[in-house]
Amino acid sequence: MKGRHRPAGSSGGALKLGAAAVAVLVVLAGSWYAFNKYSKPACGNAAKLSIGASADISPALKLQAAEWAEQAKDNGNCVDIEVFDEDPADVAAALAGKADKSLTGVGQANGKTRIPDVWVADSSLWLQRIRAVNPDSVKAGAHSVALSPVVLAMPEPAATKFGWPQKNITYADLIASLAANQGTKIGITEPSRDATGLAGLLTLASVAKQAGGGNATQATQVATTALRALAAGRSSVRSDLIQKFPRGSDQQAISTSLTVAPLSEQAIIQYNGQQPPVRIAAIYAEPAAPPLDYPYVVLSADKASMADELLKSLQTQDFRDKLGAIGLRGADGAPGKGFQTPANAPGALAAAAPQLPDAGTVETLLQQWQAITLPARMLAVLDVSGSMLEPVPTAGNATRMQVTLEAARKGMALFDDSWSLGVWTFSTLLDGQKDYKQLVPIGPLVSQRAQLVQALGGITPKKNGDTGLYDTILAAYKAVQSGYESGRINSIIVMTDGENDDPAGGLKLEELIAQLKAVADPAKPIQIILIGIGDKVGEAAMRQITDAVGGGTFVAQDPSKIGDIFLQAISLRGQIAQKK
């Protein structure tokens, strides 16, 4: 059978033609790739957006922001998003500072703190605290972008003694263990600067107050015991607290290490992910503490449109999966891909907004905390002039002296044994020619608490006594100065219901200030805290004194509120600026 004749070389020509066509296609494809790549916006003038975020969530935010920016670029929009870690306490301090205010226990912002266009703090508690002092700084309606419940963290051997995992452990169980002195070592991160610590403190304090079974005195004692236990085990930052958990599995290591601390679920997931010798159990105790809910807050109005568009991408499954990889849940409480659910944890949490206590409750508790935790050496000086016998209608007609002494007793009950405290009284001619009298010298509470309680119980006003205020202040200042202790806040707290009134003469205001300045030693600062009781105090003169030498003036127009004012004054000792 004969085949068709094929011209010599025709096969080679076809191959050459095919190769040329492929080359053309490659060139064209390369040209299209180059065109597509370089025809995108050059982004020389990209719109910029800065996001300051809690370090807990910033890794997920950085990944999502980078992807969103790239998608925007593909759509012809140039955006430049910077996500940086910023301590929520520092941002909160900076926002409060814009209104010349400060948050209890936080003080001034770090000098390097930036106020971003968008702020993602770890908890809405920060927003609540800021609005209480600067209502216009943070708008309402912030959206949560993640969730991590605040749980009780326990080494698993310790948790089993409480009945875990079969028993549902409660905060009441923990309170009972502390009250019974069963060797439970509780820790907490500084609640004035850490939202996890604050959430745990709020819950523990609330449960402790209910533990008295209707007996107010017993409830106060239980709450005080709990607060003191927390204060003894506090850490400045979360990483230090976590290091207090057992580093070995032997009984000695477990018995001498931290037993329990409120921590975020994320912190426990990440800790156990490091394969420690003793794993930490996450106890989802009742009542549930306010969770970390990571509110997304737009602080720059001119960036609101771009910020809102980015927010939409933070509500996707893709972002939930990024959160899951770092131990956080989605904003609705459901976990994403890669989330390592702790034993006995709910698969999903309620999506309802966290129920936060009102700002007043938070502030009062933090003031109590500050009163307990700041190391102190203090001289309390109480007015016993005749006007302190006046009844207080808003306090059931108890006298001014009675409400003042009750405030002093309650305050002293909060102070732990590391405090040093002394008590004077003053009026006119109380001790010979002196207008003041020492009842108990300044000394450690560990050895003279009972003596101080007894002294307070025996104080009665001098019926016809006047108010030798200025001579008393100078003498008290010198007394505190003579025994000055470094490493403590050395202070005088004077509680009075009247202006300086000394028929025998004594110092004038200008003379007092001049003498205080003359004896003051900048290396040994002493705070003078003056508390006015009622509406007849010489507030202007009192402020001149404290402004001149360092301290603060507080006035309870309604004497029945003296307890709150006393607590506020004590709690602010560490924040009152020292004047040179």
Side-chain angles (χ1 to χ4, degrees):
M1 182 175 178
K2 295 182 179 180
R4 297 181 62 185
H5 177 72
R6 180 178 295 173
S10 63
S11 175
L15 290 173
K16 290 180 180 179
L17 179 61
V22 170
V24 170
L25 288 174
V26 169
V27 170
L28 289 175
S31 299
W32 169 250
Y33 173 78
F35 172 77
N36 187 50
K37 178 179 180 181
Y38 293 107
S39 64
K40 291 181 180 180
C43 291
N45 296 312
K48 296 182 181 298
L49 184 72
S50 63
I51 302 175
S54 169
D56 301 349
I57 193 174
S58 67
L61 285 173
K62 289 174 182 176
L63 288 174
Q64 191 69 19
E67 289 181 8
W68 184 79
E70 191 62 31
Q71 291 171 3
K73 186 176 180 182
D74 288 340
N75 294 327
N77 299 309
C78 293
V79 292
D80 181 5
I81 304 177
E82 178 192 10
V83 180
F84 58 92
D85 295 0
E86 196 69 270
D87 186 344
D90 285 330
V91 178
L95 292 173
K98 292 174 69 174
D100 294 325
K101 302 288 186 178
S102 62
L103 303 180
T104 298
V106 175
Q108 302 301 312
N110 184 304
K112 297 181 180 179
T113 300
R114 294 169 55 189
I115 297 180
D117 299 321
V118 175
W119 180 33
V120 183
D122 53 2
S123 170
S124 290
L125 284 167
W126 286 114
L127 311 188
Q128 187 185 55
R129 293 182 67 188
I130 295 167
R131 291 190 190 108
V133 298
N134 186 4
D136 299 327
S137 61
V138 179
K139 293 182 179 180
H143 291 275
S144 170
V145 296
L147 194 75
S148 189
V150 173
V151 300
L152 291 178
M154 286 188 183
E156 289 187 354
T160 57
K161 292 183 179 180
F162 276 85
W164 179 86
Q166 292 80 17
K167 179 184 175 182
N168 184 25
I169 302 171
T170 68
Y171 276 88
D173 295 329
L174 179 57
I175 293 291
S177 178
L178 292 172
N181 194 23
Q182 295 177 350
T184 300
K185 297 180 179 64
I186 188 169
I188 195 169
T189 45
E190 176 54 50
S192 60
R193 294 190 60 92
D194 182 271
T196 303
L198 179 55
L201 177 65
L202 285 164
T203 308
L204 196 66
S206 175
V207 173
K209 287 180 181 178
Q210 300 170 14
N215 185 313
T217 300
Q218 184 176 349
T220 299
Q221 290 175 346
V222 172
T224 299
T225 298
L227 290 177
R228 284 184 183 170
L230 283 173
R234 72 188 186 278
S235 296
S236 297
V237 293
R238 199 175 306 168
S239 58
D240 289 343
L241 179 70
I242 290 175
Q243 290 300 314
K244 294 181 180 180
F245 283 114
R247 314 309 293 177
S249 57
D250 60 285
Q251 186 57 40
Q252 176 68 15
I254 293 173
S255 63
T256 57
S257 300
L258 192 63
T259 306
V260 60
L263 281 175
S264 69
E265 179 185 64
Q266 180 200 34
I268 296 175
I269 291 172
Q270 293 183 342
Y271 180 83
N272 287 338
Q274 299 170 6
Q275 303 299 316
V278 179
R279 289 175 58 84
I280 300 299
I283 311 298
Y284 296 79
E286 294 293 336
L292 302 185
D293 61 326
Y294 300 92
Y296 184 93
V297 182
V298 181
L299 299 177
S300 298
D302 58 339
K303 304 291 182 70
S305 178
M306 181 166 39
D308 289 345
E309 287 300 313
L310 174 60
L311 175 61
K312 294 177 183 177
S313 81
L314 303 181
Q315 298 168 331
T316 62
Q317 182 63 42
D318 182 48
F319 183 61
R320 185 195 304 275
D321 292 341
K322 290 182 176 66
L323 294 172
I326 59 173
L328 290 174
R329 298 170 181 260
D332 60 359
K337 186 185 301 181
F339 184 81
Q340 299 296 315
T341 306
N344 284 17
L349 301 175
Q355 296 298 309
L356 303 180
D358 62 84
T361 298
V362 175
E363 183 66 14
T364 297
L365 182 58
L366 286 175
Q367 288 174 0
Q368 290 178 334
W369 179 258
Q370 289 291 100
I372 292 171
T373 57
L374 287 175
R377 177 176 177 271
M378 175 180 287
L379 177 60
V381 184
L382 308 179
D383 188 347
V384 293
S385 59
S387 57
M388 291 292 284
L389 289 167
E390 290 188 18
V392 180
T394 53
N397 284 326
T399 66
R400 290 180 175 181
M401 190 81 260
Q402 288 172 327
V403 297
T404 299
L405 290 173
E406 181 63 16
R409 278 191 289 266
K410 286 183 176 179
M412 191 176 72
L414 287 173
F415 308 155
D416 67 22
D417 289 343
S418 67
W419 275 60
S420 289
L421 184 66
V423 174
W424 287 12
T425 54
F426 78 98
S427 177
T428 48
L429 304 177
L430 273 191
D431 186 9
Q433 295 300 306
K434 296 178 182 178
D435 293 334
Y436 48 88
K437 182 176 182 179
Q438 175 178 281
L439 300 186
V440 182
I442 301 175
L445 272 175
V446 67
S447 60
Q448 62 180 35
R449 187 182 292 272
Q451 185 183 358
L452 285 160
V453 171
Q454 183 179 9
L456 290 174
I459 291 176
T460 57
K462 183 178 180 179
K463 189 172 183 179
N464 297 314
D466 291 305
T467 311
L469 179 61
Y470 295 164
D471 285 1
T472 299
I473 289 175
L474 180 62
Y477 191 95
K478 290 180 178 179
V480 173
Q481 189 180 57
S482 66
Y484 187 90
E485 292 185 28
S486 58
R488 293 173 177 259
I489 298 175
N490 291 254
S491 59
I492 304 157
I493 185 165
V494 181
M495 305 171 75
T496 181
D497 73 341
E499 298 181 275
N500 182 69
D501 181 17
D502 189 352
L507 294 170
K508 306 299 182 186
L509 177 61
E510 297 77 11
E511 295 171 336
L512 169 63
I513 292 174
Q515 291 202 37
L516 287 172
K517 287 183 174 181
V519 300
D521 181 353
K524 298 179 178 180
I526 296 171
Q527 292 182 347
I528 300 177
I529 300 171
L530 302 182
I531 299 180
I533 305 167
D535 57 0
K536 297 180 181 178
V537 297
E539 183 176 355
M542 292 164 67
R543 291 193 183 281
Q544 287 186 56
I545 297 168
T546 55
D547 287 348
V549 294
T553 294
F554 304 82
V555 177
Q557 296 285 348
D558 179 354
S560 69
K561 304 297 183 183
I562 183 63
D564 295 338
I565 296 296
F566 179 81
L567 189 60
Q568 180 185 5
I570 296 297
S571 70
L572 294 179
R573 289 166 299 137
Q575 298 181 41
I576 297 174
Q578 293 293 334
K579 306 287 180 93
K580 297 293 189 287

